[in-house]
Coordinates of all heavy atoms in Angstrom, one line a residue:
L229 N 21.0 34.7 29.5 CA 20.5 33.3 29.7 C 21.4 32.5 30.7 O 21.0 31.7 31.5 CB 20.4 32.5 28.4 CG 19.3 33.0 27.5 CD1 19.4 32.3 26.1 CD2 17.9 32.8 28.1
E230 N 22.7 32.8 30.6 CA 23.7 32.2 31.6 C 23.3 32.6 33.0 O 23.3 31.8 33.9 CB 25.1 32.6 31.2 CG 26.1 32.0 32.1 CD 27.6 32.3 31.8 OE1 27.7 33.0 30.8 OE2 28.5 31.9 32.5
L231 N 23.1 33.9 33.2 CA 22.8 34.3 34.6 C 21.4 33.9 35.0 O 21.2 33.6 36.2 CB 22.9 35.9 34.7 CG 21.9 36.8 34.1 CD1 20.7 37.0 34.9 CD2 22.6 38.2 33.8
A232 N 20.5 33.8 34.1 CA 19.1 33.3 34.5 C 19.2 31.8 34.9 O 18.6 31.4 35.9 CB 18.2 33.4 33.3
R233 N 20.0 31.0 34.2 CA 20.2 29.6 34.5 C 20.9 29.4 35.8 O 20.5 28.6 36.7 CB 21.0 28.9 33.4 CG 20.2 28.8 32.1 CD 21.2 28.3 31.0 NE 20.7 28.4 29.7 CZ 21.4 28.7 28.6 NH1 22.7 28.9 28.7 NH2 20.8 28.8 27.4
D234 N 21.9 30.3 36.1 CA 22.7 30.2 37.3 C 21.8 30.5 38.5 O 21.8 29.9 39.5 CB 23.8 31.2 37.2 CG 24.7 31.1 38.5 OD1 25.4 30.0 38.7 OD2 24.8 32.1 39.3
M235 N 20.9 31.5 38.4 CA 20.0 31.9 39.5 C 19.0 30.8 39.7 O 18.7 30.4 40.9 CB 19.3 33.2 39.2 CG 20.2 34.4 39.3 SD 19.3 36.0 39.3 CE 18.4 36.0 37.7
A236 N 18.5 30.1 38.7 CA 17.6 29.0 38.8 C 18.3 27.9 39.6 O 17.6 27.2 40.4 CB 17.1 28.5 37.5
Q237 N 19.5 27.6 39.3 CA 20.2 26.6 40.1 C 20.5 26.9 41.5 O 20.6 26.0 42.4 CB 21.6 26.3 39.4 CG 21.5 25.7 38.0 CD 22.8 25.5 37.4 OE1 23.8 26.0 37.8 NE2 22.8 24.8 36.2
H238 N 20.4 28.2 41.8 CA 20.6 28.7 43.2 C 19.2 29.0 43.9 O 19.2 29.8 44.8 CB 21.5 29.8 43.3 CG 23.0 29.5 43.0 ND1 23.5 29.3 41.7 CD2 24.0 29.2 43.9 CE1 24.8 29.0 41.8 NE2 25.1 28.9 43.1
D239 N 18.2 28.4 43.4 CA 16.8 28.6 44.0 C 16.4 30.1 44.0 O 15.8 30.5 45.0 CB 16.8 28.0 45.4 CG 15.4 27.9 46.0 OD1 14.5 27.8 45.2 OD2 15.3 28.1 47.3
C240 N 16.7 30.8 42.9 CA 16.1 32.1 42.8 C 15.9 32.5 41.3 O 16.4 33.5 40.8 CB 17.0 33.2 43.5 SG 18.8 33.1 43.1
G241 N 15.2 31.6 40.7 CA 14.9 31.8 39.3 C 14.0 32.9 39.0 O 13.3 33.4 39.8
L242 N 14.0 33.4 37.7 CA 13.2 34.5 37.3 C 11.8 34.1 37.2 O 11.4 33.1 36.7 CB 13.7 35.1 36.0 CG 15.1 35.8 36.0 CD1 15.5 36.1 34.6 CD2 15.0 37.0 36.8
T243 N 10.9 35.0 37.7 CA 9.5 34.8 37.7 C 8.8 36.1 37.6 O 9.4 37.2 37.6 CB 9.0 34.0 38.9 OG1 7.6 33.7 38.8 CG2 9.2 34.8 40.2
S244 N 7.4 36.1 37.5 CA 6.7 37.3 37.4 C 5.2 37.0 37.8 O 4.7 36.0 37.5 CB 6.7 37.9 36.0 OG 5.9 39.1 35.9
K245 N 4.5 38.0 38.4 CA 3.1 37.9 38.7 C 2.3 37.9 37.4 O 1.2 37.3 37.3 CB 2.6 39.0 39.6 CG 3.1 38.9 41.0 CD 2.5 40.0 41.9 CE 2.9 39.9 43.3 NZ 2.3 41.0 44.1
R246 N 2.8 38.6 36.4 CA 2.1 38.7 35.1 C 3.0 38.2 34.0 O 4.2 38.5 33.8 CB 1.8 40.2 34.8 CG 0.8 40.8 35.8 CD 0.5 42.3 35.4 NE 1.7 43.1 35.5 CZ 1.8 44.3 34.9 NH1 0.8 44.7 34.1 NH2 2.8 45.1 35.1
V247 N 2.4 37.3 33.2 CA 3.1 36.7 32.1 C 2.3 36.8 30.8 O 1.1 36.4 30.8 CB 3.4 35.2 32.3 CG1 4.2 34.6 31.2 CG2 4.2 35.0 33.7
L248 N 2.8 37.4 29.8 CA 2.1 37.5 28.5 C 1.8 36.2 27.9 O 2.7 35.3 27.9 CB 2.8 38.4 27.6 CG 3.1 39.9 28.0 CD1 4.0 40.6 27.0 CD2 1.8 40.6 28.3
K249 N 0.7 36.0 27.3 CA 0.4 34.8 26.5 C 1.1 34.8 25.2 O 1.4 33.7 24.7 CB -1.1 34.7 26.3 CG -1.9 34.5 27.6 CD -3.4 34.3 27.3 CE -4.2 34.1 28.5 NZ -5.7 34.0 28.3
R250 N 1.3 36.0 24.7 CA 2.1 36.1 23.4 C 3.3 36.9 23.6 O 3.5 37.5 24.6 CB 1.2 36.8 22.3 CG -0.1 36.0 22.0 CD -0.9 36.8 21.0 NE -2.2 36.1 20.7 CZ -3.1 36.6 19.9 NH1 -2.9 37.7 19.3 NH2 -4.2 35.9 19.7
S251 N 4.2 36.9 22.6 CA 5.5 37.6 22.7 C 5.1 39.1 22.7 O 4.2 39.6 22.1 CB 6.3 37.3 21.5 OG 6.6 36.0 21.4
P252 N 5.9 39.9 23.5 CA 5.7 41.3 23.5 C 5.9 41.9 22.2 O 6.7 41.5 21.4 CB 6.7 41.8 24.6 CG 7.7 40.7 24.6 CD 7.0 39.5 24.4
R253 N 5.2 43.0 21.9 CA 5.3 43.7 20.6 C 6.7 44.1 20.3 O 7.4 44.8 21.1 CB 4.4 44.9 20.6 CG 4.3 45.6 19.2 CD 3.3 46.7 19.2 NE 1.9 46.2 19.5 CZ 0.9 47.0 19.7 NH1 1.0 48.3 19.6 NH2 -0.3 46.4 20.0
G254 N 7.2 43.8 19.1 CA 8.6 44.1 18.7 C 9.6 43.0 19.1 O 10.7 43.1 18.7
F255 N 9.1 42.0 19.8 CA 10.0 40.9 20.1 C 9.5 39.5 19.7 O 9.8 38.5 20.3 CB 10.2 40.9 21.7 CG 10.9 42.1 22.2 CD1 10.1 43.2 22.6 CD2 12.2 42.2 22.3 CE1 10.7 44.4 23.1 CE2 12.8 43.4 22.8 CZ 12.0 44.4 23.2
E256 N 8.7 39.5 18.6 CA 8.1 38.3 18.2 C 9.0 37.2 17.8 O 8.7 36.0 17.9 CB 7.1 38.6 17.0 CG 5.9 39.4 17.4 CD 6.2 40.9 17.4 OE1 7.4 41.3 17.2 OE2 5.2 41.7 17.7
N257 N 10.2 37.5 17.2 CA 11.1 36.5 16.8 C 12.5 36.9 17.3 O 13.5 36.9 16.6 CB 11.2 36.5 15.2 CG 9.8 36.1 14.6 OD1 9.4 35.0 14.8 ND2 9.2 37.0 14.0
A258 N 12.6 37.1 18.6 CA 13.8 37.6 19.2 C 14.8 36.6 19.5 O 16.0 36.9 19.8 CB 13.4 38.4 20.5
G259 N 14.5 35.3 19.6 CA 15.5 34.3 19.9 C 14.9 33.0 20.2 O 13.8 32.6 19.7
T260 N 15.6 32.2 21.0 CA 15.2 30.8 21.3 C 14.0 30.8 22.1 O 13.5 31.8 22.7 CB 16.4 30.1 22.0 OG1 16.5 30.8 23.3 CG2 17.7 30.2 21.3
E261 N 13.4 29.6 22.2 CA 12.2 29.4 23.0 C 12.5 29.8 24.5 O 11.6 30.4 25.2 CB 11.7 28.0 22.9 CG 10.4 27.7 23.7 CD 9.9 26.3 23.5 OE1 10.5 25.6 22.7 OE2 8.9 25.9 24.2
E262 N 13.6 29.4 25.0 CA 14.0 29.7 26.3 C 14.0 31.3 26.6 O 13.5 31.8 27.6 CB 15.4 29.2 26.6 CG 15.9 29.5 28.1 CD 17.3 29.0 28.3 OE1 18.0 28.7 27.3 OE2 17.7 29.0 29.5
L263 N 14.6 32.0 25.6 CA 14.6 33.4 25.7 C 13.2 34.0 25.6 O 12.8 34.9 26.4 CB 15.5 34.0 24.7 CG 15.7 35.6 24.6 CD1 16.2 36.1 26.0 CD2 16.5 36.0 23.5
M264 N 12.4 33.5 24.7 CA 11.1 34.0 24.5 C 10.2 33.9 25.7 O 9.4 34.7 26.0 CB 10.4 33.4 23.3 CG 11.1 33.6 21.9 SD 11.2 35.4 21.5 CE 9.5 35.8 21.3
D265 N 10.4 32.8 26.4 CA 9.6 32.5 27.6 C 9.9 33.6 28.7 O 9.0 34.1 29.4 CB 9.9 31.2 28.2 CG 9.3 30.0 27.4 OD1 8.3 30.3 26.6 OD2 9.7 28.9 27.6
L266 N 11.2 34.0 28.8 CA 11.6 35.0 29.7 C 11.2 36.4 29.3 O 10.9 37.3 30.2 CB 13.1 34.9 30.0 CG 13.6 33.6 30.6 CD1 15.1 33.5 30.6 CD2 13.0 33.5 32.1
L267 N 11.1 36.6 28.0 CA 10.7 38.0 27.5 C 9.2 38.2 27.8 O 8.8 39.4 27.9 CB 11.0 38.1 26.0 CG 12.4 38.2 25.6 CD1 12.5 38.1 24.1 CD2 13.0 39.6 26.0
R268 N 8.5 37.2 28.0 CA 7.0 37.3 28.3 C 6.8 37.7 29.7 O 5.6 38.0 30.1 CB 6.3 36.1 27.9 CG 6.1 35.9 26.4 CD 5.0 34.8 26.1 NE 5.6 33.5 26.3 CZ 6.2 32.8 25.4 NH1 6.4 33.3 24.2 NH2 6.7 31.6 25.6
L269 N 7.8 37.7 30.6 CA 7.6 38.1 31.9 C 7.4 39.6 32.0 O 8.3 40.4 31.5 CB 8.8 37.7 32.8 CG 9.2 36.2 32.8 CD1 10.4 36.0 33.7 CD2 8.0 35.4 33.4
V270 N 6.4 40.1 32.5 CA 6.1 41.6 32.5 C 6.9 42.3 33.6 O 7.4 43.4 33.3 CB 4.6 41.8 32.7 CG1 4.3 43.3 32.8 CG2 3.8 41.2 31.6
D271 N 7.1 41.7 34.7 CA 7.9 42.3 35.8 C 8.9 41.3 36.3 O 8.7 40.7 37.4 CB 7.0 42.8 36.9 CG 6.0 43.9 36.5 OD1 6.5 45.0 36.1 OD2 4.8 43.7 36.6
P272 N 9.9 41.0 35.5 CA 10.8 39.9 35.9 C 11.6 40.1 37.2 O 12.2 41.2 37.3 CB 11.7 39.8 34.7 CG 11.7 41.1 34.1 CD 10.3 41.6 34.3
V273 N 11.5 39.2 38.1 CA 12.2 39.3 39.3 C 12.8 37.9 39.6 O 12.2 36.9 39.3 CB 11.3 39.7 40.5 CG1 10.9 41.2 40.3 CG2 10.1 38.8 40.7
A274 N 13.9 37.9 40.3 CA 14.5 36.7 40.8 C 13.8 36.5 42.2 O 13.8 37.4 43.0 CB 16.0 36.8 41.0
E275 N 13.3 35.3 42.5 CA 12.5 35.1 43.7 C 13.0 33.9 44.5 O 13.4 32.8 43.9 CB 11.1 34.9 43.4 CG 10.2 34.7 44.6 CD 8.7 34.5 44.3 OE1 8.4 33.4 43.8 OE2 7.9 35.4 44.4
R276 N 13.1 34.0 45.8 CA 13.4 32.9 46.7 C 12.4 32.9 47.8 O 12.3 33.9 48.5 CB 14.8 32.9 47.2 CG 15.2 31.8 48.1 CD 16.6 31.9 48.6 NE 17.6 31.6 47.6 CZ 18.9 31.8 47.7 NH1 19.4 32.2 48.9 NH2 19.7 31.5 46.7
L277 N 11.6 31.8 48.0 CA 10.7 31.7 49.1 C 11.5 31.3 50.3 O 12.4 30.5 50.3 CB 9.6 30.7 48.8 CG 8.8 31.0 47.5 CD1 7.8 29.9 47.3 CD2 8.2 32.3 47.5
L278 N 11.1 31.8 51.5 CA 11.8 31.6 52.7 C 10.8 30.9 53.8 O 9.7 31.4 53.9 CB 12.3 32.9 53.3 CG 13.2 33.7 52.4 CD1 13.6 35.0 53.1 CD2 14.5 32.9 52.1
P279 N 11.3 30.0 54.6 CA 10.5 29.5 55.7 C 10.4 30.5 56.8 O 11.4 31.2 57.1 CB 11.3 28.2 56.1 CG 12.7 28.5 55.7 CD 12.6 29.3 54.4
L280 N 9.3 30.5 57.4 CA 9.1 31.5 58.5 C 10.1 31.3 59.7 O 10.5 32.3 60.3 CB 7.7 31.5 59.0 CG 6.6 32.0 58.1 CD1 5.2 31.9 58.7 CD2 6.9 33.5 57.7
D281 N 10.4 30.1 60.0 CA 11.3 29.8 61.1 C 12.7 30.5 60.9 O 13.4 30.7 61.9 CB 11.5 28.3 61.3 CG 10.3 27.6 61.9 OD1 9.5 28.4 62.5 OD2 10.2 26.4 61.9
L282 N 13.0 30.8 59.7 CA 14.3 31.4 59.4 C 14.4 32.8 60.1 O 15.4 33.3 60.5 CB 14.5 31.6 57.9 CG 15.9 31.8 57.4 CD1 16.8 30.6 57.8 CD2 15.9 32.0 55.9
W283 N 13.2 33.4 60.3 CA 13.1 34.7 60.9 C 13.3 34.7 62.4 O 13.5 35.8 63.0 CB 11.8 35.4 60.6 CG 11.7 35.9 59.2 CD1 11.2 35.1 58.1 CD2 12.0 37.1 58.7 NE1 11.3 35.9 57.0 CE2 11.7 37.1 57.3 CE3 12.5 38.3 59.3 CZ2 11.9 38.3 56.5 CZ3 12.7 39.4 58.5 CH2 12.4 39.4 57.1
R284 N 13.3 33.6 63.0 CA 13.4 33.5 64.5 C 14.8 33.6 65.0 O 15.1 33.6 66.2 CB 12.7 32.2 65.0 CG 11.3 32.1 64.6 CD 10.6 30.8 65.1 NE 9.2 30.7 64.7 CZ 8.2 31.3 65.3 NH1 8.4 32.0 66.4 NH2 7.0 31.1 64.8
G285 N 15.8 33.6 64.0 CA 17.2 33.7 64.4 C 17.9 34.6 63.4 O 17.3 35.2 62.5
E286 N 19.2 34.6 63.5 CA 20.0 35.5 62.6 C 20.2 34.8 61.2 O 20.8 35.4 60.3 CB 21.4 35.8 63.2 CG 22.3 34.6 63.4 CD 23.6 34.9 64.1 OE1 23.6 35.8 64.9 OE2 24.6 34.3 63.7
G287 N 19.6 33.6 61.0 CA 19.7 33.0 59.7 C 19.1 33.8 58.6 O 19.5 33.7 57.5
I288 N 18.1 34.6 58.9 CA 17.5 35.4 57.9 C 18.5 36.4 57.3 O 18.5 36.8 56.1 CB 16.2 36.2 58.5 CG1 15.5 36.9 57.4 CG2 16.6 37.1 59.6 CD1 15.1 36.1 56.2

Side-chain angles (χ1 to χ4, degrees):
L229 290 173
E230 181 180 357
L231 70 84
R233 294 171 191 146
D234 184 66
M235 289 193 299
Q237 291 177 353
H238 288 84
D239 190 30
C240 49
L242 290 175
T243 185
S244 177
K245 288 184 177 180
R246 297 184 292 162
V247 182
L248 299 177
K249 294 182 179 179
R250 299 179 181 177
S251 301
R253 184 175 300 177
F255 298 89
E256 291 82 357
N257 300 292
T260 63
E261 182 177 353
E262 179 185 13
L263 179 60
M264 296 302 293
D265 285 344
L266 293 171
L267 287 171
R268 284 193 286 270
L269 302 179
V270 176
D271 298 297
V273 294
E275 180 181 76
R276 179 180 291 172
L277 303 180
L278 304 173
L280 288 181
D281 282 347
L282 200 61
W283 287 89
R284 299 181 185 277
E286 63 181 37
I288 183 60

